[in-house]
Amino acid sequence: MEKIASFQVDHTTLRPGMYLSRRDGNVVTFDLRFKVPNTGDLLTNAEMHSMEHIIATLLRNSPQKDAVIYFGPMGCQTGFYVLLDGAQLSMAHCIALIQSVFEAGANYAGEMPGKSAVECGNYINLDVDLAKAQCRYYADVIKGWTVEQLAY
């Protein structure tokens, strides 16, 4: 079988940041890497789930919401994937969108979106403070990120 693109990245040298993972027509997939792979330093389930709720909500309420296709966690627990419509946003605009939503997540002042049994199948492990702390960390990592830095 053919190796998928993400398995062709050297995970022993990959550092936290924002990377262009692949393009499929107008769909652009970004690897939002939080943790250094293969170190055992992983995002906890509660951190990942909490950030997923806040960042997905912020993305889908942003002025660029029509360009948002998907936001979700990586199975390896080292980050997230975000899929955006590259016909609507340039690479620089994609970076700016991610920077703005993580900055907004770091400063989030509301209640956790979707924190009820009706809205979420595992609402018990959602924690606004965990999400805010990780959003602050990642906002700092990608502050000043450039199109040139999108390459693995």
Side-chain angles (χ1 to χ4, degrees), residues 109-125:
E111 292 191 24
M112 176 61 73
K115 189 175 182 176
S116 75
V118 172
E119 299 167 303
C120 179
N122 189 18
Y123 70 96
I124 295 169
N125 77 347

Side-chain angles (χ1 to χ4, degrees), residues 34 43-58 71 73 80 101-102 105-106 108 110-115 120 122-135:
F34 279 64
L43 291 165
T44 68
N45 288 334
E47 288 170 334
M48 291 186 76
H49 191 200
S50 299
M51 278 190 292
E52 178 186 17
H53 274 237
I54 288 179
I55 297 301
T57 298
L58 292 170
F71 174 80
F80 295 84
V101 295
F102 276 94
Y108 189 78
E111 292 191 24
M112 176 61 73
K115 189 175 182 176
C120 179
N122 189 18
Y123 70 96
I124 295 169
N125 77 347
L126 294 170
D127 185 313
V128 170
D129 291 331
L130 282 178
K132 287 171 65 171
Q134 286 298 321
C135 286

Side-chain angles (χ1 to χ4, degrees), residues 1-151:
M1 269 194 254
E2 185 179 327
K3 261 190 194 180
I4 63 172
S6 63
F7 294 165
Q8 297 177 35
V9 175
D10 183 348
H11 286 71
T12 64
T13 61
L14 190 57
R15 296 289 170 245
M18 179 177 176
Y19 302 99
L20 176 59
S21 179
R22 59 183 293 148
R23 292 176 194 250
D24 299 287
N26 290 337
V27 178
V28 183
T29 302
F30 293 96
D31 173 342
L32 308 183
R33 194 63 63 148
F34 279 64
K35 300 291 183 171
V36 177
N38 300 315
T39 64
D41 183 23
L42 306 174
L43 291 165
T44 68
N45 288 334
E47 288 170 334
M48 291 186 76
H49 191 200
S50 299
M51 278 190 292
E52 178 186 17
H53 274 237
I54 288 179
I55 297 301
T57 298
L58 292 170
L59 280 167
R60 291 186 176 106
N61 283 279
S62 73
Q64 298 84 10
K65 65 184 176 185
D66 291 340
V68 176
I69 298 167
Y70 172 79
F71 174 80
M74 294 179 179
C76 63
Q77 294 177 257
T78 59
F80 295 84
Y81 287 115
V82 63
L83 283 66
L84 302 171
D85 183 344
Q88 294 185 46
L89 299 173
S90 69
M91 291 296 106
H93 288 117
C94 290
I95 294 169
L97 173 59
I98 299 305
Q99 289 168 327
S100 71
V101 295
F102 276 94
E103 189 65 38
N107 297 303
Y108 189 78
E111 292 191 24
M112 176 61 73
K115 189 175 182 176
S116 75
V118 172
E119 299 167 303
C120 179
N122 189 18
Y123 70 96
I124 295 169
N125 77 347
L126 294 170
D127 185 313
V128 170
D129 291 331
L130 282 178
K132 287 171 65 171
Q134 286 298 321
C135 286
R136 167 56 48 218
Y137 161 77
Y138 194 67
D140 290 343
V141 166
I142 62 169
K143 187 176 187 173
W145 208 259
T146 65
V147 172
E148 292 74 30
Q149 289 173 290
L150 289 174

